[in-house]
């Protein structure tokens, strides 16, 4: 690769700020030699990999900057497959700054975002999909997102993609061989077998593509809009779910004029709740803007909690709102609030719908049933059984492109097109699959992926 990947690089690997310890990581061919030149203790050049050594680091004037522990990872037995030293020092930003400055004077350069992981990929430690999972694992904030990232990092997803690609490569090579003997009208790749294989591949890829909706929920959470008329108790419900006074609660209709957002973790899934302005016609210009924005938020949501007021709403109003929500085509949960003050007729009518929940947000009655319903709506059952779930938008896009290319192969087989056109569509499918794992890649693609990592990883 480029000369920049032969440099010795350095970065703070722990979070910045004051702490008990900080860890500074160096990686490169000369990492151990450079550290050894300023380290007073053992001769690090003669020590084995995966060993830790206490000593001091001193500047050119023999001034002790700090007492440290230097941990050695000798190539290729390290994360980057290069020589790596991790220096554990006291967690003072001043000490960290002085140590990094010292190493910069010794020919080390600051690492770019994600450069340690990028070097690990370039040196064959893992493929590109696994490398991306490192960032997902660092950012995982729920059990489900942690499990998905860990599965991907350990190669579960990559293995599936490589198996698909290997099967397709065999037929691609047969068709390419046919092209070499074009004048002899020889057929090496049985078209029925190819059609059978493509259908098998499509069934797997279609399942992976379909899993992205769930994967996106696992990784990014569920945008959940709380919608309903003014004074239905939307803000009270948000406060009850969060167990804090996040939203202003008032008897005056139209108090919430913009959005209030917060999130909670329910059984490993993050729900990002959005409390919105009440749905009603209003002469108040500011409130009208809020109502308009509410309707836009509802269109963008993955889930809507439709809240109606059992005390004050009419059946006609509730049914009108439900029809509007059904036309949106977004999953929604019907929640009747103020069950302790409910009108008998409205309550009796809505009880006929088994899917409607009844709560008292102010008394926090019925909230557990609502939480259970929220989790059921996401449907994590497939994920819990160990199925591979696609969580990365780049992987999803490449799988869709692969799907399109394989469908083109099927159309070509049905139309009896020549081998050269079949080969073209198969090559496209192979390229899109190869880009997922990094078997086919570009410098621009790598730069885009690793620039999203934190410095020091």
């Amino acid at each position: 690769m480029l000369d920049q990947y032969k440099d010795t690089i350095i970065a703070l690997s722990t979070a910045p700020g004051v702490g008990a310890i900080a860890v500074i990581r160096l990686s490169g061919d000369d990492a151990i030699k450079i550290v050894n030149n300023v380290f007073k203790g053992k001769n690090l050049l003669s020590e084995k990999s995966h060993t830790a050594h206490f000593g001091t680091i001193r500047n050119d004037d023999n001034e002790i900057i700090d007492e440290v522990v230097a941990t050695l990872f000798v190539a290729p037995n390290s994360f980057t497959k290069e020589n790596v030293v991790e220096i554990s020092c006291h967690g003072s930003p001043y000490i960290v700054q002085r140590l990094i400055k010292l190493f910069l004077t010794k020919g080390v350069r600051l690492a770019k975002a994600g450069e340690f992981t990028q070097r690990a990929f370039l040196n064959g430690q893992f493929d590109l999909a696994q490398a991306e999972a490192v960032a997902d694992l660092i950012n995982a904030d729920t059990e489900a997102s942690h499990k998905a990232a860990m599965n991907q990092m350990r190669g579960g997803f990559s293995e599936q993609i490589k198996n698909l690609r290997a099967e397709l490569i065999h037929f691609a090579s047969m068709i390419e061989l046919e092209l070499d003997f074009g004048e002899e009208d020889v057929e090496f790749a049985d078209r029925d077998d190819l059609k059978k294989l493509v259908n098998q591949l499509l069934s797997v890829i279609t399942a992976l593509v379909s899993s992205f909706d769930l994967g996106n929920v696992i990784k990014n959470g569920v945008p959940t809009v709380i919608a309903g008329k003014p004074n239905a108790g939307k803000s009270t419900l948000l406060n009850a779910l969060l167990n804090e006074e996040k939203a202003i609660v008032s008897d005056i209709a139209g108090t919430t004029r913009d959005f209030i957002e917060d999130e909670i973790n329910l059984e490993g899934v993050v729900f990002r709740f959005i409390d919105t302005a009440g749905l009603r016609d209003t002469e108040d210009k500011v409130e009208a803007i809020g109502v308009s924005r509410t309707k836009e938020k509802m269109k963008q949501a993955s889930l809507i909690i439709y809240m109606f007021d059992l005390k004050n709403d009419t059946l006609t109003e509730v049914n009108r709102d439900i029809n509007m929500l059904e036309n949106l085509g977004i999953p929604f949960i019907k929640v009747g609030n103020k069950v302790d003050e409910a009108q008998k007729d409205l309550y009796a009518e809505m009880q006929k719908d088994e899917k409607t929940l009844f709560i008292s947000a102010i008394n926090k009655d019925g909230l557990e049933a609502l939480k259970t319903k929220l989790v059921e709506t996401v449907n994590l059952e497939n994920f819990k059984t160990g199925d591979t779930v696609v969580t990365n938008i780049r992987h999803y896009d490449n799988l869709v492109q692969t799907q399109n290319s394989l469908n083109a192969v099927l159309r070509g087989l049905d139309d009896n097109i020549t081998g050269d056109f079949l080969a073209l569509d198969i090559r496209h499918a192979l390229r899109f699959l190869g880009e997922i794992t990094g078997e086919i890649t570009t410098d621009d693609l790598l730069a885009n992926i690793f620039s999203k990592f934190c410095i020091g990883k």
Side-chain angles (χ1 to χ4, degrees), residues 311-322:
K311 180 182 178 182
N312 298 306
D313 287 351
T314 66
L315 182 60
T316 301
E317 290 172 329
V318 173
N319 284 333
R320 185 180 62 208
D321 288 343
I322 290 173

Side-chain angles (χ1 to χ4, degrees), residues 255-270:
T255 304
T256 303
R257 299 192 172 193
D258 211 329
F259 309 120
I260 299 171
E261 299 190 24
D262 214 325
E263 59 187 41
I264 61 171
N265 183 334
L266 298 176
E267 296 186 27
V269 179
V270 172

